[in-house]
Amino acid sequence: MNVITIQSEAFQEIVKKLEEINTRLNSKEKEPKEVWLDNQEFIQLLKISKRTAQNYRDEGYISFSQVGHKIYYKLADVDELLHKHYNKAFKK
């Protein structure tokens, strides 16, 4: 085991920087960031085939982002898709 020593001033400077970082992180609003699903998660969530997911993209039913060969969907867009095609029961 090695023991590393540093000057007290250097240690205090490191502590100060860590406290500044911690303060900045805690001061930011705690809003959840956007949640993205990859294509596999999307088809598993909706219980659809890869071809159906492709049709949804081709027909413009859902927005998506493509990076290389990977396709991603915003969870908010999936929720919007389901709400747009929601049919309320008319018999009670």
Side-chain angles (χ1 to χ4, degrees):
M1 179 163 110
N2 295 333
V3 175
I4 300 173
T5 59
I6 60 172
Q7 292 181 349
S8 177
E9 294 168 357
F11 176 76
Q12 293 301 324
E13 187 176 329
I14 292 170
V15 169
K16 182 180 175 184
K17 287 182 181 179
L18 288 172
E19 287 173 350
E20 288 172 5
I21 292 170
N22 192 30
T23 301
R24 275 188 276 142
L25 289 174
N26 288 334
S27 68
K28 291 183 181 179
E29 293 183 29
K30 301 281 184 180
E31 292 182 23
K33 292 188 176 189
E34 289 180 336
V35 177
W36 290 81
L37 304 174
D38 66 16
N39 198 51
Q40 188 65 31
E41 292 168 328
F42 175 66
I43 64 176
Q44 287 176 346
L45 180 66
L46 295 186
K47 296 179 174 55
I48 58 175
S49 68
K50 288 182 180 183
R51 184 66 194 145
T52 300
Q54 177 70 50
N55 285 339
Y56 287 177
R57 293 190 304 272
D58 292 345
E59 297 294 324
Y61 288 126
I62 189 153
S63 301
F64 65 97
S65 181
Q66 185 169 358
V67 180
H69 295 290
K70 290 285 286 183
I71 297 171
Y72 299 93
Y73 308 89
K74 287 183 186 179
L75 186 57
D77 290 339
V78 175
D79 189 50
E80 182 181 334
L81 171 71
L82 294 174
H83 278 87
K84 278 184 183 177
H85 294 90
Y86 178 72
N87 294 311
K88 191 165 184 163
F90 52 90
K91 282 191 175 183
K92 287 192 178 190

